[in-house]
Structure formats: C-alpha cells, structure tokens
Amino acid sequence: MCGRFAITLPDEAVAQLFDALPSNDLPEVPRYNVCPTTPVATVTSAEGARRLRPMRWGFIPHWYKSPTDGPLLINARAETVAEKPAFRTACRERRCIVPASGFYEWTKDAEGNRLPWYITRADGAPMAFAAIWQDWSREGEDKMEGPTCAIVTCAATHEMAEIHHRTPVILEKGDWAKWLGEEGKGAAPLMQPPEPGTVRMWRVAPAVNSNRATGEALIAPIKG
C-alpha cells in the first residue's frame, strides 16, 4: 500500500528529470506529508510530449456520482488493475508517473502503537511510482472536474516485506517510456517489486501519524 509520501524536489528539477513541460498550477513543494485527496504532480505523455501536471490523488471511476460515491481508490493492485472495471481502461490507455522522494509505511509494537517508517531509494535518486489516471467531472453541489489518479502497488519482497506486504511499483528510468505508452504495448511486466537493494528505510517520529503534520523533521531518522 502507499498512503502517504513526500516530494521535496523543486518543480523545475522534476520537469527536467522527466523531460516534461511543467504546468503553472502544480502543488507547492517541498511537501513532507502528501495525503490522499490532495493534488499531486504527475507525468503524462501524449502526442509525443510529456507534461508535469497536477491530479487529485484518489482515482474516481466515471460512474461515481460524487467523489465520495464509493471507496477511496488511492491504490490499484498490479495483480488486478488490468481486469477491474474501475481501472482496466486507464491501465490500457492512461498510465502516468507520480514522482516522489520517498513514502511512509507503518508497523505496530507489542502495545499496538503505529510506528512510522520512511522508505526512499538507496541511491538517493527520486522515486517514480507507476500510476493510472482518469478524468472525472460532475455538476451540482459537489461540482468537480479534472484528472484523478491511483498509484499501482504490488506484493512486497526483500527489504520492504519486513515492514509491509505491499509496495508501490517503483519504475526504473529505462522503463519510464514504456510505462507512459511511448514505446508501444507490454507495460505489464513492469509491475514488479523493486530489486534487492533498491530501497532503504528508517524509523521516523510518530508525528507523521497525523495528516496535518508537515516539515522536514518528519523524515528525520530516530532510534528504536
């Protein structure tokens, strides 16, 4: 699962990294506690050009009458994303990338307290989460329009499996074009857990348990 993450790079650096044209309405950075239903920067590709553009994190299927008409779909399971009615068309036609600096996961101690961990790439490079997106709009009191997205997850192995059984699909740079549909079909094999040694992790303070918490201290390592 991926329910919180951080993005600390400036928009210009992210746009340069992905060779994408940045929109002028991207969410402010740095953000150390990105939560579901908030806007996130995503990379899309169409007509030979990439864009860095904001989307609501929380995929809304086209049949929802309001954003809360069904479950909050922040993740899509790699094992079923190509088959589930909510996701299958997006998986085939609307794949995107969510850039991140790292993400959070939780374990529990003997008393049931939630213990947060921060996970990032061992090589210090930004993460590129595989994701899918969907435009959604409705009129009325709950009027809303715009793109929404979900991060693709898969079964965790190696280091990640020590703290959680799911992990975001972390794309390597050589796979970005394939995932974005720039190199034809065949993206399904990319939905795999990272290779051993790809990520590193450390305990962080419980402050991040609150979705209102913010600041660089959230990703600082603690003992224990």
Side-chain angles (χ1 to χ4, degrees):
M1 176 178 180
C2 179
R4 305 268 193 87
F5 67 91
I7 175 68
T8 62
L9 287 177
D11 295 333
E12 295 79 7
V14 175
Q16 183 175 11
L17 177 66
F18 288 93
D19 192 22
L21 179 66
S23 299
N24 58 13
D25 56 348
L26 292 166
E28 291 186 6
V29 287
R31 299 170 70 195
Y32 292 92
N33 192 7
V34 181
C35 300
T37 74
T38 63
V40 297
T42 68
V43 180
T44 60
S45 181
E47 300 179 351
R50 292 180 182 175
R51 290 181 57 198
L52 183 65
R53 51 190 291 215
M55 296 189 188
R56 175 191 189 266
W57 183 20
F59 189 98
I60 305 179
H62 66 84
W63 61 80
Y64 275 28
K65 296 179 180 178
S66 76
T68 57
D69 199 32
L72 178 60
L73 304 176
I74 63 171
N75 294 155
R77 295 175 68 91
E79 298 88 342
T80 57
V81 66
E83 304 167 1
K84 283 202 168 185
F87 300 135
R88 62 191 177 198
T89 302
C91 182
R92 184 173 62 251
E93 301 176 0
R94 294 184 300 277
R95 297 190 297 271
C96 63
I97 293 172
V98 175
S101 300
F103 66 99
Y104 300 96
E105 213 35 275
W106 282 262
T107 55
K108 290 185 178 181
D109 62 17
E111 288 73 40
N113 298 308
R114 300 178 73 227
L115 309 177
W117 296 73
Y118 184 65
I119 303 99
T120 189
R121 286 191 65 105
D123 60 8
M127 289 180 159
F129 296 153
I132 57 174
W133 66 279
Q134 164 82 47
D135 267 321
W136 187 88
S137 64
R138 285 293 185 276
E139 298 293 333
E141 293 184 5
D142 294 325
K143 181 179 179 180
M144 172 186 158
E145 58 182 1
T148 68
C149 67
I151 294 169
V152 180
T153 67
C154 61
T157 58
H158 313 304
E159 302 94 339
M160 267 301 301
E162 299 176 12
I163 61 174
H164 201 274
H165 65 286
R166 304 291 296 178
T167 179
V169 172
I170 302 169
L171 300 169
E172 296 298 326
K173 187 173 184 178
D175 296 327
W176 295 351
K178 174 72 75 173
W179 182 257
L180 292 173
E182 298 169 347
E183 296 181 351
K185 300 181 180 179
L190 303 180
M191 294 187 286
Q192 300 293 331
E195 292 294 323
T198 300
V199 302
R200 61 190 179 113
M201 62 197 73
W202 57 82
R203 279 281 316 282
V204 294
V208 76
N209 292 352
S210 168
N211 59 13
R212 296 182 179 181
T214 187
E216 187 175 2
L218 296 182
I219 65 172
I222 63 169
K223 295 181 179 180

